[in-house]
Amino acid sequence: MQIDKKVIDEIIEQAQKDAPNESCGYLLGNNDVVTENYWMENTDHSSEHFSFSPKDQFAALRYAREHGLQILANWHSHPASPSRPSAEDLRLANDPTIRYAILSLHEGIHLNSFKIINGEVADKQSHL
């Protein structure tokens, strides 16, 4: 998956704004190229986990369909930990058709995305 630089800049800015809480959203695009960030509120307002509201998820899906885009990944930030899936991230990664991107603000800025299948990382890509 490729992510446009403007999208990377947007999610870094949003994650820094939302810190110390985790920030989250969907990455939208086509043909494995992310062209848009669809930010969603972390309804948990937590520094250690995140949740999307069903209302925001449906709005994102509707937006993607209206604009001819696909949801290629969900993303969230780790304000104080590395860019790798936590045990909770692995447990909650239920869609094997998308990637899971994690932006770390810990010890520099790092962005990795993962294909997670049956609770296991099947593939990792670095985007920064």
Side-chain angles (χ1 to χ4, degrees), residues 41-58:
E41 179 183 1
N42 175 357
T43 59
D44 290 342
H45 304 284
S46 169
S47 62
E48 296 180 0
H49 49 86
F50 73 98
S51 292
F52 302 139
S53 76
K55 178 182 174 185
D56 284 349
Q57 287 180 286
F58 286 122

Side-chain angles (χ1 to χ4, degrees), residues 103-121:
L103 174 73
S104 173
L105 302 177
H106 178 69
E107 297 179 354
I109 297 174
H110 307 278
L111 176 62
N112 295 308
S113 70
F114 306 86
K115 182 65 92 168
I116 301 173
I117 300 172
N118 297 324
E120 299 287 328
V121 172

Side-chain angles (χ1 to χ4, degrees), residues 83-85 99-100 111-116 121-127:
S83 176
R84 65 175 176 251
R99 297 188 70 81
Y100 294 85
L111 176 62
N112 295 308
S113 70
F114 306 86
K115 182 65 92 168
I116 301 173
V121 172
D123 178 63
K124 173 187 172 184
Q125 292 180 347
S126 179
H127 300 283

Side-chain angles (χ1 to χ4, degrees), residues 26 28 38 40 54-71:
Y26 282 145
L28 310 176
Y38 193 97
M40 291 187 279
K55 178 182 174 185
D56 284 349
Q57 287 180 286
F58 286 122
L61 184 57
R62 186 171 40 256
Y63 176 88
R65 286 180 179 163
E66 288 171 356
H67 291 86
L69 301 169
Q70 297 174 303
I71 296 171

Side-chain angles (χ1 to χ4, degrees), residues 18-39:
D18 291 345
N21 290 336
E22 289 190 1
S23 191
C24 54
Y26 282 145
L27 298 177
L28 310 176
N30 288 300
N31 302 317
D32 222 24
V33 177
V34 173
T35 55
E36 290 192 40
N37 167 44
Y38 193 97
W39 175 82

